[in-house]
Every structure is written in C-alpha cells, then in structure tokens.
Amino acid sequence: MRLKKTIGLSNDFWLVVFICLLIALWPITLALGCAAAIILVLISISNGIHSGNARLWQKENSGKPCSYSGQFGFIERASHDGNKVTLSIMPIRALLPDSSPPLATYTTKFIEGSFQKTMNKLFKDNSIELLDGISVSLAAIESALKCQEHMIWCNRSLGSIGKMSKKVNQALQIADGNPLLEPSIPALEATKSRITSESSSLKKAKKFALETLSDLIEYLSVPEELRDPSMIGSLSDAIAIQNDELKKSFKELVEFNNEYIKLMQ
C-alpha cells in the first residue's frame, strides 16, 4: 500500500512540474505554435498556387499531339502533388474504337518556384516534345484525328438514318390499303431507297476511316527514317473530300425527309 501511494504521489508531482513549465514558458510555446501554423498556411498556399499552375498548363496543352520515347500521343493531364509533378500522355492507339491502352505517366521532382521549369525538365529527361509547325508525323496524327472524327460522325448519322428508316417502314405498313395514304407510297418507297443507299455509303466510309486510322497508327510506330512521307498529304486530302461529300449527301437526305414530312402534315 505504501509503494502504490509513493508512485501516485510521484505521478502527481511530475504533472504539477509539467504544468508549471507550460505556464512559465507559455510565450515560447505560443510563439512555436504560431510559427508552425504560419508555416502550414504558407505550405498550403504554395501548394494551391502550384496546383493552379498545373491546371492552367493542362488547360492550355491538353489534347496537343506530342512525341515521347519514340512514340506518339496526346497530352492528357498534369498534376502537382507536394514535391512532385506528374504528366500523363494518351497513346495515339487510344483513337481506335474499343481501345483503352494505359496512359504513359512521367514524374519529376518539383523545382521550387517555377512550374514551367519543372515541366521543361520533365520533357527533357523523358524525350517528350509537343508537335507543331510542319512535319510528316504531325500531318499523320492530324489525319488520324480526322479519321476518328469521321467515324464518330458516321456512327451518329447511321443512328439518325435508322430512326428515319423506322418511321418510313411504319408509314408504308399503314399506307397499303388506306386510300388517304396510298398516294404517298411512291414517295415513301423513294425515301426508303435513298435511305438504304445512304446507309450503305456511310458503312463503307466508316470502314474506310477505321482501316485508314489503323494504317496511320502502324505508320507512326515505324522509325521516322523508315517512313515514306509521300502518301500522307494525299491521304489527308482524300479523307477531307470523302467527309465533305458524305456530309453533303446526308444533309440532302435530311432536307428531303423533312420536306416530305411537311407535305404529309
């Protein structure tokens, strides 16, 4: 019992001593606490500024074509986290439908005070380069983007034509034998024939765009010195011409269909 009492008194004694020290040294304790709080606030502000710079850089450069480690792709995003900056690049193969290759990711230590210097170092250390000006590689990438846009447009147009076709078929089903609708059957048949022809053209164009996109991606995978640049310019023109012709034809079909609907009403 005497031993337990002694230990209890000893604990109380050191507690009193600790409280007395805090009271005696409160100006120092307060100063240290304030200094720590200021440092934390400054670090938070600094991180916020650098993260803002990263977002601004990403906004200005996202989607730009680039080369990296002998490959090609597009700037995806940049982020700042503490003492490091991370850059992600989407490989050009991701332009292919149903393709989801992993992003190429590069990280470097943040150079205090300058986000742009950090990015310059990251680019240099990893052989990353934004593509601009005139080059065969950039022309091939731009053609690949046109192919992708063309495929997306073809898919949307095929969806619209599918809806048109459904309405025409429904009209034909109820027109036969209906004296009020039978006079419209020839026009409905003409519309159906036009839709079938346009649908066939769109499917062929979509296939051409997909095959060309695949060819361009393979073309860019070959070392530059082994590529033949002569076909890229004419290929880009061919894609643009086909795109324009199809859009014109599809627009005419839509206008024809709209005018026919007005007459029916």
Side-chain angles (χ1 to χ4, degrees):
M1 291 293 295
R2 192 174 291 179
L3 179 60
K4 288 182 180 178
K5 188 175 181 181
T6 303
I7 291 173
L9 288 172
S10 178
N11 289 339
D12 291 342
F13 171 76
W14 288 113
L15 179 61
V16 171
V17 170
F18 179 71
I19 293 172
C20 290
L21 285 173
L22 285 178
I23 294 172
L25 300 175
W26 73 265
I28 297 174
T29 303
L30 181 62
L32 289 174
C34 289
I38 291 171
I39 290 171
L40 289 174
V41 170
L42 290 175
I43 290 173
S44 178
I45 293 173
S46 178
N47 284 335
I49 292 172
H50 298 322
S51 295
N53 288 336
R55 287 191 295 271
L56 179 61
W57 189 93
Q58 177 178 305
K59 184 178 179 181
E60 293 175 348
N61 295 281
S62 180
K64 286 186 177 180
C66 65
S67 62
Y68 62 102
S69 305
Q71 302 179 67
F72 295 92
F74 307 92
I75 299 298
E76 178 75 8
R77 59 176 175 266
S79 61
H80 169 266
D81 181 18
N83 67 338
K84 67 178 182 179
V85 170
T86 301
L87 174 70
S88 298
I89 298 174
M90 180 181 72
I92 193 171
R93 191 167 292 277
L95 295 179
L96 290 168
D98 302 322
S99 177
S100 54
L103 296 174
T105 304
Y106 299 92
T107 302
T108 190
K109 187 176 180 181
F110 181 71
I111 299 175
E112 195 61 42
S114 177
F115 185 83
Q116 188 57 54
K117 285 183 179 178
T118 305
M119 294 307 297
N120 291 343
K121 182 178 183 300
L122 188 150
F123 271 48
K124 183 178 179 181
D125 291 347
N126 297 284
S127 301
I128 302 171
E129 182 182 358
L130 293 177
L131 299 178
D132 53 18
I134 300 173
S135 72
V136 176
S137 297
L138 182 57
I141 291 173
E142 289 173 345
S143 294
L145 286 170
K146 286 180 182 177
C147 287
Q148 186 200 38
E149 291 171 4
H150 196 40
M151 283 192 301
I152 292 171
W153 181 83
C154 285
N155 278 331
R156 289 175 179 169
S157 300
L158 284 166
S160 298
I161 283 181
K163 292 177 182 177
M164 284 186 211
S165 181
K166 186 177 180 180
K167 290 179 181 178
V168 169
N169 288 332
Q170 288 174 344
L172 281 169
Q173 286 175 1
I174 62 175
D176 190 22
N178 186 323
L180 298 176
L181 294 175
E182 277 185 340
S184 301
I185 290 177
L188 286 168
E189 292 287 1
T191 302
K192 184 177 180 179
S193 176
R194 181 75 182 272
I195 286 173
T196 301
S197 174
E198 199 70 26
S199 178
S200 177
S201 296
L202 284 168
K203 288 175 182 177
K204 289 177 182 177
K206 178 183 173 182
K207 182 181 178 183
F208 169 78
L210 177 58
E211 290 174 349
T212 305
L213 175 58
S214 299
D215 290 343
L216 284 164
I217 290 173
E218 294 301 326
Y219 174 84
L220 287 166
S221 69
V222 175
E224 187 173 359
E225 60 273 15
L226 299 178
R227 296 186 215 140
D228 179 6
S230 60
M231 294 296 293
I232 295 301
S234 58
L235 179 61
S236 179
D237 293 339
I239 295 167
I241 291 170
Q242 186 191 62
N243 197 4
D244 291 342
E245 289 177 348
L246 269 174
K247 285 186 176 180
K248 182 181 177 182
S249 178
F250 180 74
K251 183 180 179 183
E252 290 172 354
L253 171 62
V254 172
E255 290 173 352
F256 175 80
N257 185 67
N258 290 341
E259 287 300 319
Y260 178 72
I261 289 172
K262 287 179 183 177
L263 290 173
M264 289 287 289
Q265 291 173 342

